Amino acid sequence: MFGWEFPPHIAGGLGTACYGMTKGLAYNDVDVLFVMPSASGDEDQSAVRIINASDVPVDTVSTTVDEFLGKVSFVHIGTNMVPYVDPQEFTQMVEEERKRQIKGFRVQYGQKYKFSGKYGANLMEEVARYAMVGATIALQHKDEIDVIHAHDWLTYLAGIAAKQLTGKPLVVHVHATSFDRSSDDKIDTRVYDLEKRGMEVADKVIAVSELTRNIVINKYGIDPSKVVAVHNAVDFSGRQNLEVERNVPDKVVTFLGRVTYQKGPEYFIEAAAKVLKKCHNVRFVMAGSGDMLNRCIRHVARLGISDRFHFTGFLRGKEVQKMFALSDVYVMPSISEPFGISPLEAMQTNVPSIISKQSGCAEILKYALKVDFWDVDAMSDAIYGLLQYPAISKLASRCGYEEVNSLKWNNAAAKIKRVYEAAINHE
C-alpha cells in the first residue's frame, strides 16, 4: 500500500483514513506493507508494517525524470505542484523550480533519497522520485504481495511503476479529485493527467462515495464496471471524551477544515451573519488554515460580526477533540466533499451537525441536517433551530452518536478485501 502520510504526522483526512483502513484490513486477515515517503518511527505499527521510502536505496537506474517516466510509460511531469499556497506565491515557486527541475533530478544506482513527505515546493519532484523508490520496494517484496493499493494522485505513479515491474494487480483509491479541489475551468491539468493515468492503468478503482464514483466515470471516462464505491468509516478507539471548561456562557457554532474554496467557508460566514441578527448569545468559530483565510477575516469584518467570530488557525489531534467538545453545533458547508470525516468526528462527540448535500457522507448519514452549500438561508435556519430548540438538538445528538458508532472500518475493509480479490481474479 502506497500512502503519503500516516498518523500521528498528518496534514488532513487521508492519513487518518489510511490508519483506520489498515487496522480494518488486519481484522479481515489482510497483511499490509505500508510504504510512505518519510516515516518518523513513532507510527502505530500494531496492524501494519511501515516501510520508510527514505531508507531504501534505488535499484532502478535513471538519470532524468524523462528517462524514468519513459521506462514505465508515464505521463510527463512538468513543473512542481503546491496545493495550498496563493496564486502569486505559486507562480513564483514554479518559475524558480522550473529552471532546475530536470537538471537537478539525478538518482544514481544505490542512492537513497530523503523525502520530506510534505506538500511543499518540491512536491512533483518527490512524487516522481517516490515512484522510483516504490518500484524498487515492490520488486524487493514481489513474492509476498498479491495486490498493490495506491492512495490519491500523489502515489499513483508509484502504483503504476510497481504494477509494471511486478505484474501484480493495481487498485487505486480516490479520496478526492481535481474537480473537488477547484472549479472545472481551473483544474491543474498535470494533476488531472496523473489521476486519469492511474485510474486507467488500475485493475480496480475505489471511490469514497457514489458522488466521487460518478465524477471518476463521467469526468475521467473510466469504465463503470471497475469503479466501486466504499464509504469511509471512523476509528474512535483510543479517543477520550474531553471535559473542557467554558469561559463564556454563549453557544458555539464551529467550522473545522481547510479554509479553501472547496470547503465553502464564505457560506458559513454569510449564514453566521443571518443567525446573529436573530440571537446574540452565540459565537462562531472558524478552525483551520488555508489560502482563503485572510479573505474570510476581511469578509467577517465587512459584515460587522468580528466580535462574535473567532479564527483559531490549524488544529490537530487533541486540539480538534477539544474544539468539538466546546461546540454546540458543527457545520460543514463544502461545495464539493468526496466524503467528509469531520462531521462523523463531531457526531461522535455528541455535537449535532449540519452538512452540505454535496458531500459524500450525506449518502450515509441520516441524522445530520442536510442543506445545499449555497443556500445560506436554509443553513442559518438549521443553525438557529439546533441552537434554540433543545428537543431537536438532543435528538440529532443522540441518534447521530449511535449512527456514527455503527460505521466501522472493519466493515469497510471487508468490502475493500472483496475488491482486492476481484482484481486478483480478473473479475
Side-chain angles (χ1 to χ4, degrees):
M1 187 177 284
F2 292 108
W4 202 254
E5 57 180 47
F6 199 83
H9 306 285
I10 57 171
L14 180 57
T16 306
C18 287
Y19 180 59
M21 193 183 305
T22 53
K23 287 177 77 174
L25 287 167
Y27 177 84
N28 284 278
D29 300 317
V30 177
D31 295 325
V32 179
L33 292 173
F34 192 91
V35 183
M36 58 189 298
S38 181
S40 303
D42 55 354
E43 292 82 8
D44 179 359
Q45 297 196 44
S46 58
V48 65
R49 188 169 136 215
I50 289 179
I51 298 175
N52 184 1
S54 296
D55 289 341
V56 179
V58 174
D59 283 353
T60 50
V61 184
S62 296
T63 55
T64 66
V65 176
D66 291 339
E67 185 184 332
F68 173 63
L69 299 185
K71 275 185 184 178
V72 286
S73 310
F74 286 115
V75 294
H76 174 70
I77 293 184
T79 54
N80 291 313
M81 165 67 185
V82 187
Y84 307 135
V85 297
D86 64 47
Q88 191 174 348
E89 268 186 279
F90 176 74
T91 306
Q92 189 180 341
M93 279 182 175
V94 166
E95 182 55 31
E96 289 170 2
E97 290 297 322
R98 184 185 63 78
K99 294 172 183 173
R100 67 167 202 85
Q101 172 93 27
I102 301 298
K103 192 186 294 181
F105 190 96
R106 296 265 184 262
V107 176
Q108 307 300 330
Y109 182 86
Q111 179 182 329
K112 294 179 184 177
Y113 180 71
K114 181 65 182 169
F115 293 93
S116 72
K118 307 290 186 194
Y119 301 91
N122 294 331
L123 184 59
M124 273 294 188
E125 189 173 313
E126 289 213 337
V127 165
R129 291 184 193 264
Y130 182 59
M132 297 175 76
V133 180
T136 296
I137 293 168
L139 279 172
Q140 289 171 349
H141 296 275
K142 182 179 178 182
D143 295 336
E144 58 183 299
I145 60 173
D146 301 294
V147 67
I148 300 152
H149 188 158
H151 290 282
D152 249 5
W153 69 270
L154 294 154
T155 70
Y156 287 176
L157 286 183
I160 297 170
K163 174 179 174 168
Q164 299 262 0
L165 297 175
T166 65
K168 304 290 183 175
L170 171 65
V171 174
V172 302
H173 208 130
V174 185
H175 296 264
T177 69
S178 290
F179 299 94
D180 299 307
R181 298 182 196 100
S182 53
S183 53
D184 287 17
D185 57 338
K186 292 180 181 174
I187 66 165
D188 189 294
T189 53
R190 295 156 301 148
V191 175
Y192 173 85
D193 288 343
L194 289 179
E195 290 172 327
K196 186 174 171 67
R197 180 72 176 138
M199 294 174 199
E200 287 173 342
V201 173
D203 298 86
K204 292 288 180 183
V205 178
I206 298 175
V208 292
S209 61
E210 291 293 343
L211 182 83
T212 302
R213 181 177 182 268
N214 288 332
I215 293 173
V216 167
I217 293 165
N218 297 319
K219 301 276 192 182
Y220 294 83
I222 304 303
D223 178 2
S225 66
K226 75 173 189 180
V227 189
V228 183
V230 178
H231 292 101
N232 283 339
V234 183
D235 178 17
F236 294 124
S237 62
R239 283 189 63 155
Q240 303 164 336
N241 284 329
L242 300 178
E243 292 292 325
V244 291
E245 208 175 304
R246 275 206 198 186
N247 297 317
V248 291
D250 302 330
K251 301 279 190 179
V252 176
V253 181
T254 300
F255 167 107
L256 190 145
R258 288 198 316 277
V259 187
T260 59
Y261 168 81
Q262 172 203 357
K263 301 293 184 180
E266 293 192 295
Y267 297 102
F268 177 72
I269 293 168
E270 289 288 342
K274 286 180 177 291
V275 171
L276 287 166
K277 285 178 181 173
K278 293 182 180 178
C279 50
H280 305 289
N281 64 329
V282 56
R283 292 171 185 266
F284 290 83
V285 176
M286 185 165 284
S289 59
D291 58 8
M292 284 183 67
L293 183 59
N294 289 337
R295 180 171 160 177
C296 286
I297 292 169
R298 289 194 295 271
H299 193 169
V300 166
R302 274 197 306 274
L303 291 171
I305 56 174
S306 300
D307 60 327
R308 299 271 105 193
F309 215 101
H310 306 270
F311 294 89
T312 69
F314 183 74
L315 302 181
R316 56 168 56 82
K318 283 273 176 69
E319 295 172 329
V320 172
Q321 291 181 45
K322 188 176 179 183
M323 191 65 250
F324 284 137
L326 285 166
S327 303
D328 295 284
V329 176
Y330 175 72
V331 184
M332 186 182 76
S334 298
I335 292 169
S336 175
E337 188 71 53
F339 185 74
I341 289 283
S342 53
L344 280 69
E345 293 178 318
M347 291 161 76
Q348 202 273 337
T349 320
N350 290 301
V351 181
S353 297
I354 301 163
I355 60 177
S356 73
K357 293 177 182 176
Q358 291 73 24
S359 60
C361 63
E363 297 168 11
I364 58 169
L365 293 178
K366 293 178 186 172
Y367 292 101
L369 279 69
K370 303 177 190 77
V371 297
D372 288 303
F373 72 85
W374 45 263
D375 194 344
V376 292
D377 289 322
M379 197 182 301
S380 61
D381 284 346
I383 294 168
Y384 183 82
L386 287 171
L387 291 175
Q388 299 291 64
Y389 299 100
I392 298 175
S393 179
K394 283 176 183 171
L395 177 73
S397 175
R398 187 184 74 251
C399 295
Y401 177 81
E402 292 170 0
E403 182 173 47
V404 297
N405 278 294
S406 68
L407 299 172
K408 305 289 188 190
W409 267 118
N410 292 349
N411 301 333
K415 294 177 184 175
I416 292 169
K417 184 181 180 180
R418 289 197 287 275
V419 174
Y420 291 164
E421 289 165 345
I424 292 164
N425 297 322
H426 307 289
E427 293 173 1

